[in-house]
Each structure stands twice: as structure tokens, then as C-alpha cells.
DNA sequence: AAAACTTTTAGCACCAGGTACTAAGTATAG
DNA sequence: CTATACTTAGTACCTGGTGCTAAAAGTTTT
């Protein structure tokens, strides 16, 4: 005697809330043309928490879960740093770092770890990446921990050549050479206002 | 007759909430050893909204604001795509993409746009980056819009060589060459379970 | 059609975490 | 000692719920 309407509505409810988890029961009720109570019962049977809980879930997931790759100055946890010489960081591959289907880490996640480490190892007021040459040697899977090592190979004025090596349990997953340009804060400001700022003369 | 205690507390309040915006007035009151009302007054004078609003702010900022760089399969908006030949995407540089101090886009943000476009242009079931050689020609600043173009230069079996060029208002900001490896879904699964999966034979 | 069951709706008391406001108590400086 | 700033207390009200009971409406089954 199971109702088809009910089933359909609950499926739709799941879909709608996945897309927009911020809708209140009243808004959902209006959208589905049923009463608020019906929506509540649906949520109960589906095990979906109330708006404020859903809001909180989204908020905390993004807030402390590494505070999002893009908002961090440094991706991964720094384990060792010898100014202008060597640095090492580790990053555990989380679900949000991988391709949904293959569960293999996206290239730019590893790049981000490497790139931010290259910047960090210079320990300069600030530095910018000028160029990078890198090879993804082995795919990295969900749950693996990547150890990234940066070694300064060449120092020439404001330029640094940094060798990067990423490993997962002793197997190399990424190799590369970065060129980073250091700048004093004042230089930065001047450069910013010059129209033709370039990394290479 | 301004109170020093009050001023200090309000400063601390701002700091604490920046670090953890999910604390209720009661929790804050306990932490500062004052009454809930005092915290409320402090929030009022500082223009800080209530917990639920703060929660919502954090949630929506991260939810629709591109859903975070790391969780997207594609960074930027695709404007054009000709399967296995050419693709173009645009990305407006947001505050979370730049270094706090210099307001210049972090290298890995541009890399992410370029890398995901290189993957997308192949239009394969799925593909992985094998290597990349890139140069950041000009710094990109907050608010600028980066147009990224990917052109497939070489097709050899499952390998693709893709030329990437990023521009801001006709000025080149990034140049690079990517090598991407395509894989059928079944191959992927096989590869994943083989212990020595490598991109290069 | 009546009985039996499912589904939907309504109403109630209650809760957290507030807003907005009034009023009173406590410091503290002049 | 008093004027002013600051702090605390208490009230009514709000949103978006939970948890509960009860009844109405809709479907089947007999």
C-alpha cells in the first residue's frame, strides 16, 4: 500500500536539499505543495536534520577542514623548515582532493602542496612562482599521505631554483623544479604599480 | 571615561570570532567571564551578527562561491570546448585566491584553472596529468579575469600534449605545456590495483 | 459500501539562540 | 560624592525547529 506520491516527493526532497541545503521546512512545504508537517515527517524518515544543523554542517566542513585549499597560504602541514635551504610538508589526501570517479588526487592539489612549499622554503617577506617544470610520476589515491620535500638548489639574487620531490611511502609521486622570485615589500608595491611588471627581464 | 577593559574585551571578541565564528553568546560570556548581555552589547557595537547568521555566512560563502576550488572538477567557467582540440575558460580572481599581503593570485590557483582545463579539453572519461612545464609571465591581481586557453598540439595513443596560455586583457600571464594521459574506466581500475602504476612505461 | 490501513494535516507544549527594550545595579573618574 | 560609563537582569517576542497527540483525508481490501 506504499504511496507513489510520497516516494517521489521524498526522492525529490533529497535531490533538492543536496542542491540547496539552506531551505527551511516552510519553504520546502511551499515548493512541494504540502504542509510543513509532511516535510518534517519526510525529513524524519530520510534522516535529514533541520536547516540550522545542515547549515552548520556545511559551515564547519569548510571551515576547519583545512579552511579550503584556496584560502590557505600553505597547503599541507610543514614538518621541517630550514630557511632558504630545505622544507618538508605532509598532506593527507581527503575526499575533496580526488576525482569523484577515480578517487585519484587531482593534479592541482599536489601542485598546490608543492607550490606553496616552494614559496615557504624561501622564507621571504613574499615570493612568487616564476616557472615550474613537473612530472606526476605515480597517481596518488584517496587516503594516502604525500610527503613533499623542497630543496633550494640555486640562489641567484632574488631568484631561487627549488627541487621538489613528492613521495607516498617511499615511492616518488611527483618531481619538479620550481623557479621562485623573491621581492621586498616595497619592490612589490612598486612593481604592482608599474604597468609592465614581468618576472623575466 | 572610556573603559580599557571594555576595549580590550571587544578586541579579543573580534579576534576570537574570527578564529571560531561558531561560538554562541553564552559560550563567549563564559569565556570572557561576563554576562550574556555584555557580549550582546559588544556584538552590537562591533556590528557582529548572531551565531546563526555567522554560520550561514560561512556556509553560503563556501557553498555557492564556486564550491571551493578543491571540490570542483573544473576551476573557472568554460566558455568554449571543441573536443580533443581546444578549450577556453575564464576565472575572476577572488579575495580567497590571492596572497593576503600582496593581493596577487597564488600560483596554484592559476595552475588549477590551467590543469583542469587541460583535463577537460581531452573530454575523456577520465584523464590524469602526467607532466607540466609552465611559466608565470606576469603577476595576476585581485579582481582581474584570467582567460585560459588550451590547445591540443599532439595526439599519440593515450597521450595528449596540450599548450596552455593564460591572459588578462590580452597580456599573457601564464604559458605552459601539459602532458595528459587518457584512460578508459576499466583501465583505470586495473591500473589502480596494479602496484606499480606509472605514467611512463 | 464499510472496514482497515496509510498518509497528511493540525495543534499543542517546549527548546535554543537570539532581538529589542526597560530598568536597575556597579565602577570609576572628576 | 555625584555624574557618567559600563554591566547585569528581566521581559516580551521571533524563527525554525522537536516531540507528541489527534483527527481528517485518501487508498485499498474485503
Amino acid at each position: 500500500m506504499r504511496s507513489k506520491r510520497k516516494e517521489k516527493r521524498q526522492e525529490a526532497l533529497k535531490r533538492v536539499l543536496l542542491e540547496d541545503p539552506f531551505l527551511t521546512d516552510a519553504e520546502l512545504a511551499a515548493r512541494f505543495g504540502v504542509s510543513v508537517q509532511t516535510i518534517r515527517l519526510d525529513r524524519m524518515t530520510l534522516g535529514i536534520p533541520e536547516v540550522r544543523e545542515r547549515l552548520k554542517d556545511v559551515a564547519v566542513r569548510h571551515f576547519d577542514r583545512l579552511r579550503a585549499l584556496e584560502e590557505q597560504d600553505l597547503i599541507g602541514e610543514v614538518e621541517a623548515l630550514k630557511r632558504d635551504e630545505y622544507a618538508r610538508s605532509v598532506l593527507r589526501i581527503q575526499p575533496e582532493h580526488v576525482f569523484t570517479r577515480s578517487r585519484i588526487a587531482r593534479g592541482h592539489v599536489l601542485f598546490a602542496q608543492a607550490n606553496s612549499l616552494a614559496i615557504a622554503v624561501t622564507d621571504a617577506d613574499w615570493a612568487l612562482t616564476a616557472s615550474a617544470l613537473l612530472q606526476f610520476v605515480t597517481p596518488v589515491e584517496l587516503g594516502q599521505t604525500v610527503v613533499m620535500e623542497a630543496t633550494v638548489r640555486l640562489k641567484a639574487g632574488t631568484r631561487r631554483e627549488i627541487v621538489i620531490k613528492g613521495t607516498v611511502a617511499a615511492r616518488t609521486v611527483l618531481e619538479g623544479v620550481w623557479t621562485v622570485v623573491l621581492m621586498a615589500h616595497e619592490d612589490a608595491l612598486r612593481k604592482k604599480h608599474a604597468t609592465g611588471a614581468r618576472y623575466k627581464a
Side-chain angles (χ1 to χ4, degrees), chain A:
Chain A
M1 228 201 217
R2 227 177 275 132
S3 160
K4 213 127 216 189
R5 261 180 61 211
K6 190 184 178 185
E7 230 173 294
K8 277 209 164 190
R9 192 187 53 238
Q10 297 195 343
E11 283 310 304
L13 186 63
K14 274 198 276 185
R15 237 190 21 249
V16 166
L17 286 182
L18 214 71
E19 236 176 69
D20 185 355
F22 309 147
L23 298 167
T24 62
D25 285 358
E27 289 169 327
L28 291 164
R31 175 166 306 202
F32 287 100
V34 293
S35 71
V36 172
Q37 283 76 3
T38 301
I39 294 294
R40 301 239 224 264
L41 285 175
D42 285 348
R43 274 203 298 103
M44 293 304 141
T45 62
L46 294 169
I48 297 171
E50 58 171 292
V51 207
R52 287 168 300 210
E53 287 302 310
R54 299 195 302 264
L55 226 33
K56 199 175 176 180
D57 286 349
V58 173
V60 302
R61 208 180 61 217
H62 283 97
F63 198 79
D64 58 20
R65 170 74 131 244
L66 303 179
R67 262 187 198 164
L69 194 142
E70 54 195 342
E71 294 192 6
Q72 283 194 305
D73 276 347
L74 218 143
I75 284 82
E77 262 182 274
V78 177
E79 280 194 330
L81 198 152
K82 195 165 178 193
R83 187 194 155 87
D84 220 9
E85 285 194 23
Y86 171 85
R88 186 175 67 238
S89 77
V90 292
L91 177 69
R92 192 179 162 78
I93 301 302
Q94 305 284 352
E96 63 266 28
H97 298 145
V98 302
F99 287 106
T100 328
R101 285 176 290 185
S102 61
R103 305 181 62 178
I104 287 179
R106 288 187 249 276
H108 55 262
V109 170
L110 298 184
F111 182 92
Q113 188 190 359
N115 188 60
S116 57
L117 190 67
I119 299 287
V121 72
T122 67
D123 204 28
D125 256 14
W126 63 273
L128 293 174
T129 311
S131 69
L133 167 60
L134 61 147
Q135 223 168 70
F136 295 92
V137 182
T138 315
V140 178
E141 290 172 37
L142 178 60
Q144 294 187 321
T145 301
V146 180
V147 178
M148 199 67 71
E149 290 181 291
T151 313
V152 178
R153 185 170 69 175
L154 220 106
K155 306 178 195 176
T158 58
R159 299 183 83 80
R160 295 292 180 274
E161 212 171 280
I162 296 153
V163 177
I164 300 270
K165 192 174 163 181
T167 53
V168 169
R171 176 188 296 145
T172 301
V173 295
L174 183 150
E175 285 174 330
V177 181
W178 259 247
T179 309
V180 170
V181 178
L182 318 180
M183 287 184 196
H185 204 41
E186 315 83 60
D187 285 352
L189 291 174
R190 257 192 287 116
K191 275 235 170 181
K192 265 184 68 179
H193 292 295
T195 43
R198 292 192 130 241
Y199 294 105
K200 311 186 71 176

